[in-house]
Each structure stands twice: as structure tokens, then as C-alpha cells.
Amino acid sequence: MNNMDPKILRHKVENINTLPTVPAVLKKLSSVIEKPRITIVEISAFISNDPALTTKVLKMVNSAIYGFPGRIASVSHATMLLGLNVIKGLLLGVSVFELMQKTMSGLYEHSLACAIASRVIAQKKNLKEPEEVSVAGLLHDIGKVILTLEFSKEYETAMKEAEEKKISIFEAEKNQFTATHADVGGWLAEKWRFPRNLIEVIQFHHRPTLAKNAPLETAIVHMADLLVRARGFGFAGENFVPEVNAVAYDLLNLSDQDIKDTLREMEDNMEAAEDMS
Amino acid sequence: MPKIPVSKLEPGMVLAKPILSKNGMVMLGEGTALTEKWVERIQDMEIPSVFIDGPPVQTVSREEALANLEARFALVENKPLMSLIKKLVQEHIEGLYE
């Protein structure tokens, strides 16, 4: 069993632009969104200058992930409506699609379904900006992408261990790497200058009681992740449904109908969501 | 009421929601049964997907779906909250095969 020093791991993650396994498109995006004072105008231009990217972004904006009633036809409308953080998150989401398919088959479906479920639950809890929770749902497992990219053999071992010992991939990662995909995701979110709340949701979606700034949002993605696994959409490292965190469950106070509505919304939209490439 | 990508549309499918033109006018109403011609017309427009009547098409049988559900919950089904969640998911899945 490998016990990697988390400091080394963190250093690698924060310097993903130097990692040979990370594709150029992600490096380019990373350097754009990590700029300290990037403006909406700059991001908008970045997207508009790439017709393929524009198409993907608009497709996602108009999808069940965000659930907007009308139709958003332009990048400037999208950026105005969603704001900097959501657009950054969305950009990442569309850009890592192929990478997710390559590193862990089924991870993209899992992430999409989680984004949809997160948005539905956030709306049921009357959150002012359910789109922000959608983004967290979409990116909650992004740490797995970097781990599998940079440490593919070790990650394979972790996945095997999870299956054989019937433990979560989260636990298996801890055994292999000391840190988990939640930690890695949190470091990435920090590097990319996402707001504190989003960083927390990604970092603590498996242990929601540790979220001090955004307990409700973290509980939402925790529950969304669980429901996606319960329904069996996609694949995120192993096929076990985790035990729900009782505190998070109580905090959400979802009715049976709320849960069924969330399942229904995912079900109705997954086929279309797979067309998002 | 699944949302189907337009590439997968087939004649006979019934619209669950109207298809609107770019300026918001109803082009094809709710309840329209699509013909081959209309499928082609829709595919020519720049719409990614449409809502179709009926439950989402399932790729596995009901038995397999429920067996998979059991397997996924095997480690947690005795925990109190989890058996409720499992019941709700099971009812959801069964609803897809009616």
C-alpha cells in the first residue's frame, strides 16, 4: 500500500500546468480561470472566440442542469444571467467531459446527474441561486479526474480494493493516497479561485457536517450524490450506495415526494444530458 | 416524460411539450404524433432535444433493474434512513416499467 505524502500531492495538484498527463485544453482553461481579477467580459470573450466551446456552453446552459424556463441564445446573456463563478464552473464541466470519459467511464454521467439533482433539491429548499449548487454538483468529483490522470495505476488499485473489500472509493483512496478526491477537488477549487462556499461543498460532500460556511449546500450535494448512486446513473469508482449522513438528511428535511421528484427529473433528462458532448 | 436528443427521435413518438419556433410561436403542439417528415424538420432546426410522452426507454429489464438496486444497497439496507430511501428508489424504478 502506497502512502503518499499529502503535501506532495497537493503541490502536484496546484501545479497541474506542469503535469505531462493533463491535456493542453485543461491547462489553458486553468490558466484563464485562475487569474485573480478575471472579469465576466474576459471570460465571455474567451468563450465567444471558440465556436465549439460556445456551442457546448450554450447547450449546457439550456439543459436540465440549470432548468431555466426560457432559451438562452447568447454567451453574453448566459454570463450575465449566471455570473462569474457559475460560468467558470460550467466551462470546466464542458471541458473535462472527454477527460472524464477517458479516465473513468461513467463519471461524466454520474456528475451530470448529480448536477441535475443538486439543482432540483436547491430549488425545493428555495435557495436564491440554485445554479451555484448545480455547479458544485457537476464538479464534486473532479478530483477523481486528476487522481486517475496522474496516478492511474494507484487509482486502479484503489478501485480494485473498493470492489474486493466492499468499501467506498473514498475509503480506498484514503488508503492509497492519504488524501481523497474530495481533498484534491477542494485544492483545485481553491486554485481556480472559486468562492469559499463552493470549495467547501466539493471538499466536504462526503462529510457534510464539516462544512461550516455552507452546510446546506454541502448537504444538498451529499444527498444528490447519494441519490444518483441509489438510482445507478453512471459510475464513480464503485457501485455502492453510501450511508446518508443523518445530520445532513435532517437539515434538508426532504419529503418522500421531493425525493421522487428529484429522481424523476434526473430520469427524464439523462438521455438528453448524454448528448452534451 | 423523458427529454430525447433529436437524433434519437422516431416517427410515432408523441410530443409531451410543444415545440416553439425561434420567436416563441407554437410550431408543433403538445400531443402531436411525429411523422417521419416532422422528425426530419425538427432535426434540421437547431434544437438539441425535445420532451416525449411516456416513461423513459429502459435498456435493462425490470428484473435486472431491481436486482441491480438490491446489489447497490446491499451494504446499507439495514440502516434506518437507507431503507426508506431504497423504498422510494424502488417505487421510482417500478414506475418506469408500467
Side-chain angles (χ1 to χ4, degrees):
Chain A
M1 279 207 221
N2 251 341
N3 259 323
M4 204 166 291
D5 184 345
K7 280 203 246 18
I8 298 178
L9 182 56
R10 179 161 193 168
H11 181 81
K12 282 198 165 191
V13 169
E14 286 173 349
N15 292 285
I16 59 168
N17 280 29
T18 61
L19 300 179
T21 54
V22 177
V25 70
L26 186 55
K27 287 182 179 173
K28 182 171 173 207
L29 181 62
S30 180
S31 59
V32 168
I33 63 178
E34 72 178 7
K35 277 159 77 165
R37 271 180 290 276
I38 192 155
T39 62
I40 275 271
V41 171
E42 281 175 270
I43 288 242
S44 207
F46 176 74
I47 301 172
S48 305
N49 285 336
D50 183 338
L53 191 55
T54 299
T55 306
K56 290 180 191 179
V57 167
L58 289 179
K59 242 191 195 175
M60 193 176 269
V61 161
N62 285 298
S63 76
I65 295 179
Y66 298 104
F68 290 120
R71 193 170 157 66
I72 296 162
S74 71
V75 173
S76 53
H77 187 187
T79 51
M80 190 175 67
L81 194 62
L82 295 171
L84 191 60
N85 294 315
V86 175
I87 284 288
K88 277 165 60 166
L90 199 158
L91 264 176
L92 273 168
V94 303
S95 305
V96 300
F97 164 73
E98 269 169 46
L99 203 49
M100 277 191 176
Q101 302 291 74
K102 199 179 81 160
T103 54
M104 186 185 290
S105 180
L107 184 59
Y108 196 66
E109 284 78 10
H110 171 88
S111 300
L112 274 185
C114 193
I116 296 172
S118 299
R119 189 262 303 167
V120 173
I121 299 173
Q123 283 175 331
K124 289 200 181 287
K125 301 319 291 176
N126 295 313
L127 257 61
K128 256 189 312 158
E129 302 196 54
E131 307 83 41
E132 303 224 343
V133 193
S134 276
V135 164
L138 187 64
L139 300 178
H140 75 289
D141 272 352
I142 199 162
K144 289 178 185 171
V145 175
I146 302 300
L147 280 174
T148 48
L149 258 185
E150 190 59 14
F151 304 102
S152 59
K153 269 217 284 285
E154 288 86 344
Y155 210 86
E156 244 184 84
T157 308
M159 279 176 31
K160 265 206 208 93
E161 190 188 353
E163 198 185 327
E164 282 163 15
K165 293 197 185 157
K166 301 202 190 298
I167 58 176
S168 69
I169 187 69
F170 183 79
E171 290 302 320
E173 285 169 356
K174 251 197 259 182
N175 293 341
Q176 277 293 314
F177 301 104
T178 313
T180 68
H181 68 274
D183 298 312
V184 174
W187 298 334
L188 286 168
E190 252 188 89
K191 173 184 167 65
W192 288 327
R193 298 184 195 277
F194 278 107
R196 189 82 246 151
N197 284 4
L198 182 55
I199 297 170
E200 252 200 11
V201 176
I202 293 177
Q203 194 169 357
F204 297 126
H205 68 271
H206 283 288
R207 292 170 310 173
T209 49
L210 294 179
K212 297 303 166 211
N213 294 311
L216 184 58
E217 291 85 341
T218 310
I220 290 175
V221 173
H222 171 79
M223 190 71 190
D225 179 41
L226 192 142
L227 288 177
V228 173
R229 281 168 166 276
R231 175 58 188 98
F233 285 125
F235 177 76
E238 28 68 12
N239 281 317
F240 302 122
V241 180
E243 192 183 353
V244 70
N245 179 288
V247 174
Y249 187 83
D250 282 341
L251 181 62
L252 290 174
N253 196 27
L254 295 173
S255 67
D256 289 3
Q257 194 56 49
D258 287 338
I259 293 177
K260 284 197 154 171
D261 289 345
T262 306
L263 290 168
R264 179 100 254 179
E265 188 80 16
M266 281 196 282
E267 197 79 48
D268 280 350
N269 287 287
M270 278 316 286
E271 206 169 339
E274 279 161 29
D275 210 38
M276 204 81 68
S277 45
Chain B
M1 198 212 295
K3 207 172 178 190
I4 311 278
V6 298
S7 55
K8 292 205 186 137
L9 286 178
E10 281 171 24
M13 287 183 169
V14 176
L15 293 179
K17 284 188 182 178
I19 295 182
L20 308 178
S21 66
K22 279 211 167 103
N23 46 16
M25 286 175 46
V26 175
M27 256 189 50
L28 287 173
E30 193 177 316
T32 308
L34 297 177
T35 62
E36 201 173 312
K37 187 174 78 177
W38 277 338
V39 169
E40 279 172 27
R41 287 281 310 277
I42 295 171
Q43 287 170 344
D44 281 340
M45 297 167 71
E46 278 168 26
I47 316 172
S49 49
V50 297
F51 283 101
I52 293 294
D53 255 357
V57 174
Q58 298 305 313
T59 48
V60 301
S61 70
R62 184 179 184 277
E63 291 68 36
E64 203 176 331
L66 291 175
N68 291 341
L69 178 69
E70 286 298 322
R72 292 196 291 273
F73 270 86
L75 300 178
V76 292
E77 61 188 344
N78 294 317
K79 315 278 168 121
L81 296 171
M82 298 312 294
S83 62
L84 167 62
I85 295 175
K86 182 185 169 197
K87 180 175 81 91
L88 294 172
V89 179
Q90 187 168 329
E91 286 169 10
H92 166 85
I93 292 176
E94 284 166 350
L96 301 172
Y97 292 91
E98 271 149 28

